[in-house]
Amino acid sequence: MSVETAALKGLITEVQQENPQGYGYLTRYWDDAKQGLDNTDRNYARVGYIYENIPEPGIGTRGLGQTLVLLAELDMLSILTNRNNATIYDLTMYDADRLRAMGRLLDAQ
């Protein structure tokens, strides 16, 4: 097991123990979030725009927002600004490979 994989596994375990609701969002919706992020053509985007780029969403915008905030906390992407319910995500920091690796670990559980 690589160091990165072990670190991700540790983060997932931490989220599972400390934030069960967030863990639920991750396990169910990480792929929707990934599709939205991968299909977004902007460097900075709000959740609504990312949501519009999910071909067949299995999540609403509120759940997607919760998932994206958690992904930011796990260093998969960054938040540019978070005010008045208008979070803007900095997608220049989006790490698709890291999210994909985390998704494989979540799917294996």
Side-chain angles (χ1 to χ4, degrees), residues 30-98:
W30 75 268
D31 191 53
D32 279 345
K34 183 176 182 331
Q35 288 179 52
L37 292 166
D38 288 347
N39 293 329
T40 298
D41 60 357
R42 296 182 180 173
N43 288 333
Y44 306 95
R46 291 191 169 110
V47 70
Y49 187 79
I50 296 168
Y51 181 81
E52 290 172 3
N53 286 283
I54 302 171
E56 294 181 32
I59 189 174
T61 55
R62 186 178 183 117
L64 179 60
Q66 293 291 331
T67 304
L68 292 173
V69 166
L70 190 52
L71 291 176
E73 290 172 4
L74 296 172
D75 294 327
M76 308 283 168
L77 65 142
S78 294
I79 294 176
L80 179 66
T81 184
N82 185 8
R83 60 180 174 193
N84 299 330
N85 291 331
T87 303
I88 299 173
Y89 298 94
D90 178 354
L91 304 183
T92 63
M93 304 302 293
Y94 169 50
D95 189 340
D97 293 333
R98 186 173 164 87

